[in-house]
Amino acid sequence: DAKTTQPPSMDCAEGRAANLPCNHSTISGNEYVYWYRQIHSQGPQYIIHGLKNNETNEMASLIITEDRKSSTLILPHATLRDTAVYYCLLYNQGGKLIFGQGTELSVKP
Amino acid sequence: DGGITQSPKYLFRKEGQNVTLSCEQNLNHDAMYWYRQDPGQGLRLIYYSQIVNDFQKGDIAEGYSVSREKKESFPLTVTSAQKNPTAFYLCASRPHGKQGSSYEQYFGPGTRLTVT
């Protein structure tokens, strides 16, 4: 079973920031938070990951709470091409990625 | 170009037939994975292989078989024993991970299998 909980769907206006939440209250100390997204009928695409510090790359920012029980993926200026299902996953070395149902983000003009 | 290829993109078979889905990568990755995705659902792990000539069952291995004779290839056979084979099948690979953080998986474009 997935160890993360995400809202099933969210809407965002084009050009605005999209903030996607994820709860992982049972996260272990050595587990990383990973985010992937899947555009319809394509393979998932890696976005970002982090352990406890906030992370930023060219695609997104990842904010992890101090107790590590939740995180937020931020797409700073959402475009129509960001419409996809976003998956939040946990991983520790030697483990497996377990995908939940994710959040279906719809970016609207 | 480096990447993962899956072929064909669409595959149709009659019930009772075995079918093999191909997955090839030229990324020199050690680990490879097969997932299944049903409509509106997340991905479920079928089999994975960390090194050549070795593989492990995932969460839904029944009715499937794999082989890993070469580093770059990880074919999946959907056997007639798989009760509901119609699904979207995704292959992924990743480099040998160091401590902790290198678990980025690279996914292929997928094969949509329809069995009637």
Side-chain angles (χ1 to χ4, degrees):
Chain A
D1 291 336
K3 296 176 63 177
T4 62
T5 304
Q6 300 175 254
S9 63
M10 291 182 62
D11 290 340
C12 178
E14 188 178 18
R16 305 297 292 264
N19 298 294
L20 292 91
C22 180
N23 286 325
H24 30 80
S25 58
T26 60
I27 190 170
S28 302
N30 60 349
E31 285 184 316
Y32 285 74
V33 180
Y34 272 71
W35 284 84
Y36 283 77
R37 74 179 183 184
Q38 185 177 25
I39 296 171
H40 182 63
S41 293
Q42 297 182 21
Q45 175 191 23
Y46 165 82
I47 301 173
I48 199 168
H49 73 277
L51 183 62
K52 50 186 175 183
N53 297 322
N54 298 336
E55 302 287 344
T56 295
N57 63 21
E58 64 278 4
M59 290 183 69
S61 294
L62 174 60
I63 309 297
I64 302 174
T65 57
E66 194 168 340
D67 63 7
R68 304 209 322 123
K69 292 185 185 301
S70 65
S71 61
T72 300
L73 179 75
I74 301 172
L75 309 178
H77 305 287
T79 71
L80 299 179
R81 288 177 295 180
D82 291 322
T83 292
V85 178
Y86 288 77
Y87 296 100
C88 169
L89 310 96
L90 303 182
Y91 166 70
N92 62 352
Q93 189 180 17
K96 299 172 289 188
L97 287 176
I98 300 175
F99 287 79
Q101 295 194 0
T103 295
E104 185 166 5
L105 175 68
S106 296
V107 180
K108 300 182 183 299
Chain B
D1 289 334
I4 302 176
T5 57
Q6 293 184 245
S7 60
K9 189 167 178 62
Y10 298 95
L11 190 55
F12 299 87
R13 282 292 183 271
K14 294 290 188 185
E15 192 174 330
Q17 292 179 334
N18 291 353
V19 58
T20 298
L21 312 184
S22 78
C23 178
E24 304 279 330
Q25 54 99 359
N26 60 3
L27 300 167
N28 199 32
H29 286 174
D30 291 295
M32 297 186 74
Y33 304 81
W34 273 106
Y35 294 89
R36 169 188 172 131
Q37 188 173 35
D38 293 286
Q41 303 295 315
L43 283 68
R44 292 186 289 167
L45 183 64
I46 305 173
Y47 268 97
Y48 63 106
S49 168
Q50 306 272 36
I51 56 173
V52 175
N53 292 322
D54 188 43
F55 48 83
Q56 289 81 40
K57 292 182 179 180
D59 301 316
I60 55 164
E62 185 176 350
Y64 299 98
S65 66
V66 293
S67 63
R68 186 83 188 279
E69 297 176 2
K70 298 185 296 183
K71 188 175 185 178
E72 58 270 22
S73 179
F74 191 40
L76 172 75
T77 297
V78 184
T79 75
S80 57
Q82 168 50 233
K83 291 182 172 36
N84 297 295
T86 295
F88 187 45
Y89 289 89
L90 287 154
C91 178
S93 71
R94 74 167 176 89
H96 181 68
K98 296 182 180 180
Q99 287 286 338
S101 66
S102 290
Y103 208 74
E104 178 183 343
Q105 289 191 11
Y106 296 78
F107 283 83
T111 292
R112 193 168 296 280
L113 173 65
T114 301
V115 177
T116 56

